[in-house]
Every structure is written in structure tokens, then in C-alpha cells.
Amino acid sequence: MTGDGAAMVRAEGVRKSFGHVEVLKGIDLEVAPGEVVCVIGPSGSGKSTFLRCINHLEKIDAGRLWVDGHLVGYRERGGKLHELRDREVAAQRRDIGMVFQRFNLFPHMTALENVVEAPVGVKGVRREEARARGVELLERVGLGERVHNYPNQLSGGQQQRVAIARALAMEPKLMLFDEPTSALDPELVGEVLDVMRGLAESGMTMVVVTHEMGFAREVGDSLVFMDDGVVVEAGDPRRVLTDPQHPRTQAFLSKVL
């Protein structure tokens, strides 16, 4: 069986445990090309773990995950899964950009050097070409005047925008965001969400774990509520936020809205 080429992400019965604790208990989810899916839920519900499974930073224990029609982290032969070699997994990851809560920038490199590093080192792009593209991307995220600044000379919001530019430099077909604004001071959140809004408008496929309900309502094509390792409710963000059907969704939203 192969993944359905129509979906950019397809998860079937995805399970993941850490020791005796089952964190994901059978996740089924589809993300269409160009779709923005926002994932909400309480801490410990499995949101970030699921995101990390999509690019095989965490190995799943059961089920199947496809990105753009390709099984993530495995090949299937005779009904059995065989794990891919590290370099094959790394090749898959090139197509998947990920932005974390913490910016994870190299402190000894300028904003531009942070953005240029992976295209040159991983994809073999010529340095001059990568630098020109890096400047373009930093301008796109509103940091054209900060290309030669080091991370410690940038605010948290600016560092996160560099992290987004760095992910985009690999020309991914899918972007994953793991609570990208949760480590920021409140007044810096908007500038990062604006960049993400622009990405969504450009047609980028995005899966966004977030606490920003306004962003989910305005930008999301679909909203997924997770709790205790399962998808409890999913649908149009405006419908889920204003008229949640499941008691667990209702209880969660009554606390955060």
C-alpha cells in the first residue's frame, strides 16, 4: 500500500509511546496541499510529539505516516516496515521545514549565515546563490536590514523570523510550526504571526501547533483539537471555536477563550 498522492500529509493509526506512557493513541489526519491545519489542545496531549513524528524526529510505534505520497522513515516490503537509513531519512527531511519554540540559531553566525548554512552544506547550493536567496528570504520576513546581525543582537521575534527564513531556504513543500510564539514576549508575537500569515497566503502547506486562537480562526483552513493522545474534534476553525461539539473541546475552549 502506498500513500495517497492527493494528500500532503496522511496519518493512519499513528501510535507513539515513551516507556509505559502512550502519548499518541491512534492519530488519523489528512492535510491537503496548500492547506493550513492548526492543532490545539492542553499540554501533554501529544501535539508536539505528533508534529515531530511527521519528519521522523520521533519514530512511530504503529500506524503509517506519508508526506507527499511517501512513507516517512520507512519503506514497506511484503506488508512489513523497514526503517530507512539515516541518510535516506535526512533526504526526506529536506522537503519538510520545521520551526521550534526555541529558535536554535547558531550563535556564532549572522542571520544571513544561519540561513545560508543548510542549502550550502546539505543541498550543495553554490554559496553566492545561497547568499542571494538568503538576503531575499530575510527581506521577506522583514529583516532585510538585519542580515549581518548576530542572534544576540536580535529580539526573540526577530530570531524566530530568522528561523522561519532558515527553514524556507531549503525550499520545503511542507512547514511544521511547534508553538512558534510561545517563547516570545506578548508584544513580539504579532510580527511572527504576520510572517506565517504571509506564508499561508502564498500557498505553503502548514501544520501549526499553537495557542493563538485568533490566528487559528483567521488563517487556519482546518482546526484539530487533540487531548490525551487522540484527535477529539476537527473541522472549520470558526465552527469548532464558536460551536464545539465534544464536551472535552467545550471544556478546553471555555478556559482559553
Side-chain angles (χ1 to χ4, degrees), residues 1 21 28-29 56 66 73 75 84 87 105 108 119 147 172 179 184 189 195 208 228-229 247 249 251 253-254:
M1 180 180 181
V21 180
D28 297 314
L29 188 71
H56 207 58
W66 293 269
R75 69 167 52 85
L84 297 178
R87 62 184 169 82
L105 299 178
H108 62 289
V147 294
E179 298 187 12
L184 300 177
V189 168
V195 169
V208 184
D228 196 27
T249 319
L253 290 174
S254 73

Side-chain angles (χ1 to χ4, degrees), residues 134-147:
V135 170
E136 230 173 78
L137 287 169
L138 287 166
E139 285 172 351
R140 181 176 174 184
V141 300
L143 293 172
E145 296 175 358
R146 298 285 193 165
V147 294

Side-chain angles (χ1 to χ4, degrees), residues 42-63:
S43 283
S45 57
K47 309 182 299 293
S48 294
T49 298
F50 176 63
L51 209 63
R52 292 170 66 84
C53 288
I54 293 175
N55 66 356
H56 207 58
L57 286 175
E58 298 290 355
K59 298 176 186 179
I60 64 176
D61 297 323

Side-chain angles (χ1 to χ4, degrees), residues 24 27 29 36-48 50-51 177-180 207-218 220 222-246 248-257:
L24 300 178
I27 299 289
L29 188 71
V36 178
V37 174
C38 293
V39 184
I40 63 170
S43 283
S45 57
K47 309 182 299 293
S48 294
F50 176 63
L51 209 63
F177 292 88
D178 188 8
E179 298 187 12
V207 183
V208 184
V209 171
T210 186
H211 293 299
E212 302 293 338
M213 300 301 161
F215 177 85
R217 184 188 291 110
E218 291 164 43
S222 179
L223 184 65
V224 174
F225 172 66
M226 282 181 65
D227 191 21
D228 196 27
V230 298
V231 172
V232 175
E233 188 167 346
D236 178 86
R238 287 149 290 280
R239 199 274 304 156
V240 175
L241 291 170
T242 56
D243 186 25
Q245 301 299 298
H246 197 285
R248 280 154 82 185
T249 319
Q250 292 166 3
F252 174 76
L253 290 174
S254 73
K255 296 190 183 93
V256 300
L257 290 178

Side-chain angles (χ1 to χ4, degrees), residues 98-99 103 105 158-168:
M98 186 151 183
V99 178
F103 328 121
L105 299 178
Q158 289 169 334
Q159 289 185 61
Q160 191 61 296
R161 285 186 279 153
V162 174
I164 293 172
R166 180 179 59 182
L168 292 174

Side-chain angles (χ1 to χ4, degrees), residues 66-221:
W66 293 269
V67 170
D68 199 22
H70 300 285
L71 265 178
V72 174
Y74 300 92
R75 69 167 52 85
E76 192 163 1
R77 278 201 303 265
K80 289 188 175 174
L81 290 183
H82 301 269
E83 192 164 1
L84 297 178
R85 290 192 287 273
D86 287 350
R87 62 184 169 82
E88 294 172 302
V89 172
Q92 284 189 334
R93 281 203 196 110
R94 289 179 201 173
D95 291 330
I96 305 171
M98 186 151 183
V99 178
F100 300 87
Q101 290 178 43
R102 296 286 168 192
F103 328 121
N104 299 338
L105 299 178
F106 296 115
H108 62 289
M109 291 183 179
T110 64
L112 182 57
E113 288 165 346
N114 267 282
V115 172
V116 164
E117 182 70 10
V120 172
V122 178
K123 290 180 91 173
V125 175
R126 286 187 309 113
R127 190 164 289 276
E128 307 80 55
E129 192 184 320
R131 283 179 70 84
R133 172 80 174 136
V135 170
E136 230 173 78
L137 287 169
L138 287 166
E139 285 172 351
R140 181 176 174 184
V141 300
L143 293 172
E145 296 175 358
R146 298 285 193 165
V147 294
H148 300 304
N149 286 80
Y150 289 89
N152 66 2
Q153 298 170 314
L154 300 171
S155 71
Q158 289 169 334
Q159 289 185 61
Q160 191 61 296
R161 285 186 279 153
V162 174
I164 293 172
R166 180 179 59 182
L168 292 174
M170 293 295 283
E171 300 183 328
K173 53 181 81 161
L174 169 67
M175 284 285 283
L176 308 176
F177 292 88
D178 188 8
E179 298 187 12
T181 59
S182 65
L184 300 177
D185 293 332
E187 70 270 20
L188 302 176
V189 168
E191 62 191 48
V192 173
L193 294 181
D194 283 345
V195 169
M196 293 169 64
R197 197 174 281 113
L199 274 183
E201 287 167 2
S202 74
M204 176 63 75
T205 311
M206 296 160 61
V207 183
V208 184
V209 171
T210 186
H211 293 299
E212 302 293 338
M213 300 301 161
F215 177 85
R217 184 188 291 110
E218 291 164 43
V219 181
D221 297 301

